[in-house]
Amino acid sequence: MKKLLFATTALAFAVSTAAPAFAEFKERTIRVSNGINADHPVGNGIKAMQQCLDEKSGGKMKLQAFWGGALGGDLQATQALRSGVQEAVVTSSSPLVGIEPALGVFDLPFLFANAQEAYKVLDGKFGDMMTEKLAAVGLVNLGYWENGFRNLSNSVRPVNKWEDFEGMKVRVMQNNIFLDTFQNLGANATPMAFGEVFSALETKTIDAQENPYVTIDTSKFFEVQKYVTETNHAYTPFLFLFSKAIFDTYAPEEQAALRECATVGRDVERGVIADLNKKSLEKIKAAGLEVNKLSEDEQKRIREKSMVVYEKHKATIGAEVVDSVLAELAAIRK
Ligand code: TF8
């Protein structure tokens, strides 16, 4: 009897002194909002990130995703992060230039030639520098996810040359660089939040919009458009942003798990986009849309015509920011 008592006490003692598993982690519900729909590759990225967080936190850190702008548009959600009332958002950088003007660098037309060079710039020194700027305005950037190369869709005519933009009512993001890029091509550019685009296309308030194939597919724009032109005029990144006010209250282990798992999610998301891009294009064609690609000559003409936008916006973005991305790209292209 004495022996048994001793054994059970020893066991109880051992259990109580051993650190409980995942002690550094608290039960967390992390709201992540998005303007796109759940079947966009960001959905795959969030799932992969959750799996990673489950392992690292013993199931304590839970992502709760909100789709289709259910918690407000990109800008509104980002402001909620800054004031510490929402944890996270996956947002385009473009609507955030009012918060951090340097982000406008990613809106410069034809900046990136392909995804590989975008990854190098974003995941490297230059991306880190932008992440520091974001921290200064209350936003922790957990990494650059992919929105992707943007293409034009419209309901009036095929676009084969820049003159075809003349008078076309094109929705642009709430961003002066995009506004000028399209105005400079002769379009009637109209800034509008993403959440209003579908119905504006449907009611013909606007003729056109520009977004990657996967968005034209998953946000169903193909249902209300007739023509798609592969323009590849800009590669805009997604930022996985976290409220700095909230992040700073987390334990270092929790912060590290979020950073590492956001990178896991990013890689999955980019991979799914590469694959879905082709499938989305097929779906768009199968829905009866007329799809064309700008000829190389025409793309070159548009690119050259668009260079005035670089000059016009260099000072607002920050000359050193523009020069440093161009220098990094030149080094990559060597
Ligand atoms: C746009 C953006 C959006 C994304 C989405 C809301 O056109 O590309 O599609 O930021 O997450 O506004």
Side-chain angles (χ1 to χ4, degrees):
M1 184 64 202
K2 228 182 192 174
K3 238 187 200 165
L4 185 67
L5 194 68
F6 177 76
T8 40
T9 334
L11 187 69
F13 183 74
V15 169
S16 67
T17 52
F22 308 105
E24 308 83 356
F25 291 86
K26 289 213 174 86
E27 301 281 345
R28 306 269 189 205
T29 301
I30 295 161
R31 286 162 296 173
V32 189
S33 74
N34 304 273
I36 26 86
N37 293 325
D39 57 346
H40 185 283
V42 166
N44 304 76
I46 299 259
K47 276 200 196 106
M49 182 171 173
Q50 181 63 64
Q51 219 167 24
C52 168
L53 285 173
D54 282 345
E55 283 162 27
K56 289 197 191 293
S57 72
K60 287 185 181 170
M61 297 186 103
K62 290 281 175 224
L63 299 174
Q64 184 186 12
F66 292 87
W67 305 101
L71 291 188
D74 285 345
L75 186 55
Q76 205 185 331
T78 304
Q79 296 294 21
L81 264 59
R82 295 180 77 203
S83 39
V85 299
Q86 182 181 320
E87 288 80 9
V89 65
V90 178
T91 175
S92 284
S93 54
S94 316
L96 312 186
V97 289
I99 299 172
E100 177 43 70
L103 287 176
V105 71
F106 300 128
D107 303 314
L108 292 170
F110 303 102
L111 181 72
F112 296 120
N114 54 59
Q116 290 315 315
E117 64 178 38
Y119 299 160
K120 279 189 191 145
V121 168
L122 296 168
D123 304 340
K125 261 196 338 235
F126 187 82
D128 290 347
M129 180 184 88
M130 300 303 279
T131 294
E132 276 169 38
K133 291 184 187 288
L134 286 163
V137 293
L139 299 163
V140 176
N141 179 22
L142 295 182
Y144 296 89
W145 288 32
E146 185 155 78
N147 191 354
F149 280 99
R150 308 180 74 92
N151 296 314
L152 183 86
S153 72
N154 84 87
S155 58
V156 289
R157 60 177 165 266
V159 172
N160 292 301
K161 51 188 186 307
W162 67 253
E163 288 84 352
D164 295 329
F165 281 101
E166 190 59 44
M168 193 178 275
K169 218 162 175 202
V170 183
R171 174 269 174 172
V172 290
M173 291 182 281
Q174 294 142 302
N175 173 293
N176 281 336
I177 300 173
F178 271 90
L179 185 75
D180 280 344
T181 300
F182 282 89
Q183 249 161 12
N184 180 56
L185 293 170
N188 181 356
T190 312
M192 189 183 283
F194 183 76
E196 292 160 40
V197 177
F198 184 90
S199 68
L201 290 172
E202 193 176 33
T203 57
K204 301 252 162 56
T205 311
I206 49 169
D207 305 315
Q209 69 82 42
E210 43 79 52
N211 256 299
Y213 286 142
V214 294
T215 302
I216 297 176
D217 167 10
T218 60
S219 288
K220 307 260 182 285
F221 294 157
F222 67 87
E223 291 179 359
V224 287
Q225 296 280 264
K226 290 201 180 106
Y227 306 96
V228 168
T229 307
E230 190 164 304
T231 48
N232 284 326
H233 55 274
Y235 174 103
T236 51
F238 273 150
L239 307 172
F240 197 116
L241 298 178
F242 212 96
S243 162
K244 188 166 188 301
I246 300 174
F247 197 76
D248 287 348
T249 67
Y250 285 14
E253 291 80 0
E254 293 176 307
Q255 295 177 344
L258 281 168
R259 289 186 193 284
E260 285 161 36
C261 295
T263 304
V264 170
R266 176 200 74 191
D267 291 344
V268 167
E269 193 247 357
R270 286 178 181 174
V272 175
I273 288 194
D275 187 46
L276 191 62
N277 244 331
K278 295 177 205 111
K279 289 187 191 144
S280 290
L281 178 58
E282 288 318 310
K283 194 162 155 192
I284 291 164
K285 284 182 183 161
L289 279 78
E290 197 180 312
V291 180
N292 72 300
K293 217 174 175 156
L294 280 184
S295 70
E296 250 174 62
D297 281 355
E298 233 2 91
Q299 221 208 17
K300 194 161 163 257
R301 260 182 92 226
I302 294 185
R303 181 180 308 140
E304 276 161 15
K305 189 173 167 59
S306 300
M307 285 306 125
V308 290
V309 176
Y310 281 61
E311 282 318 307
K312 185 167 176 201
H313 290 276
K314 197 169 177 176
T316 340
I317 296 168
E320 72 297 346
V321 175
V322 176
D323 289 342
S324 111
V325 82
L326 293 177
E328 211 164 295
L329 281 168
I332 290 170
R333 287 169 188 166
K334 251 206 291 217

